[in-house]
Amino acid sequence: MRTFIRLKNQRPRKLPPEFGDISDIRYADDLVATFLQRFTRPGDVVFDPFAGFGTTLLVAEAMNRAAWGVEFDEQRVQYIRSQLHAPEHIIHGDSRELARYDLPLFDFSITSPPYMTEHDDPMHALANYSTPTEGYKTYLQQLQTIYKQMLPLMKSNAKVVLEVSNLKSESGVTTLAWDVARAIGAVLRFEGEIVIGWDHYDYGYDHSYCLVFSQPQD
């Protein structure tokens, strides 16, 4: 796969009105489809530990992959279940406790984790911004723990991809993508990054990084 890809940041499915005027944080269907075409085949198991509004699962099902996910927010889970052919494959839970759930071995995982800045975020990103944060360092440590729990679920040739951006704000720049690469690279083998150039994007940039990981080498 090329290390620089241009994509349009489009979301073809409208969210139902009960989600109100929240910012649409979904990543693009084309992003998921691009990586599934490269790294998977029909019938493969695809897993998203931060399912959000179900983009990964819905695209994977449409491409004849077996899609599984975990999502913290119950309202989002109910929405995803209403859209899936296999609604039992979305679990309402906390990925920080991933080892508790009965999940299949997977061939591929792709997600965009909840973002957090190191400067002024008051709420914990990994708890759907519902509890006070314990700080950026704890956020990275807990993200690392999630992927450590995913390690036993990875098939021998499984790949893991996280779409992440650095974050630019008035308070400064949080090197989130690079910090996530270091944190997860401590438990998985970091294979490198693929830069996604978007027609439009947020967070102060017009590109993001897809970080690629695999099983650690013995």
Side-chain angles (χ1 to χ4, degrees):
M1 176 177 279
R2 298 180 61 180
T3 58
F4 183 86
I5 302 172
R6 291 192 181 276
L7 293 174
K8 292 184 178 181
N9 198 0
Q10 296 177 338
R11 305 167 183 90
R13 287 177 302 278
K14 290 185 177 180
L15 292 175
E18 58 261 32
F19 290 108
D21 296 327
I22 64 170
S23 175
D24 192 344
I25 58 173
R26 293 175 294 171
Y27 56 14
D29 286 28
D30 283 351
L31 177 73
V32 180
T34 297
F35 279 84
L36 293 188
Q37 288 169 352
R38 169 62 180 85
F39 289 111
T40 71
R41 297 176 295 180
D44 281 357
V45 176
V46 177
F47 176 61
D48 187 340
F50 305 107
F53 293 99
T55 299
T56 298
L57 280 70
L58 294 169
V59 174
E61 273 201 348
M63 296 177 65
N64 297 314
R65 276 66 169 170
W68 287 79
V70 175
E71 170 54 38
F72 190 95
D73 184 82
E74 185 173 8
Q75 187 179 22
R76 293 180 185 177
V77 170
Q78 294 304 319
Y79 166 69
I80 297 170
R81 285 177 178 160
S82 74
Q83 303 296 305
L84 288 177
H85 295 298
E88 69 276 10
H89 287 187
I90 178 65
I91 296 170
H92 177 220
D94 187 337
S95 284
R96 294 173 297 177
E97 301 176 350
L98 200 65
R100 294 178 47 200
Y101 307 122
D102 185 16
L103 291 162
L105 300 182
F106 65 80
D107 299 279
F108 184 68
S109 174
I110 185 168
T111 197
S112 184
Y115 289 1
M116 182 178 183
T117 72
E118 63 178 326
H119 302 294
D120 51 12
D121 278 358
M123 306 303 282
H124 200 318
L126 299 180
N128 197 34
Y129 308 97
S130 62
T131 60
T133 182
E134 299 171 33
Y136 184 68
K137 183 177 179 180
T138 297
Y139 161 82
L140 291 172
Q141 290 172 340
Q142 292 185 349
L143 194 60
Q144 181 185 94
T145 298
I146 290 169
Y147 280 84
K148 187 175 183 179
Q149 293 177 80
M150 284 174 58
L151 183 55
L153 298 174
M154 295 173 64
K155 294 183 182 180
S156 59
N157 61 345
K159 302 290 186 185
V160 166
V161 172
L162 290 90
E163 189 260 339
V164 194
S165 174
N166 292 328
L167 310 175
K168 187 184 295 184
S169 69
E170 293 181 356
S171 300
V173 175
T174 297
T175 56
L176 179 65
W178 304 335
D179 295 340
V180 168
R182 280 190 290 266
I184 297 177
V187 294
L188 299 178
R189 178 173 177 261
F190 180 52
E191 293 196 349
E193 76 281 6
I194 297 169
V195 180
I196 310 297
W198 299 102
D199 58 339
H200 65 278
Y201 201 65
D202 296 316
Y203 312 111
Y205 293 95
D206 57 6
H207 67 278
S208 64
Y209 301 91
C210 282
L211 311 174
V212 184
F213 301 87
S214 61
Q215 287 268 18
Q217 295 179 325
D218 295 332

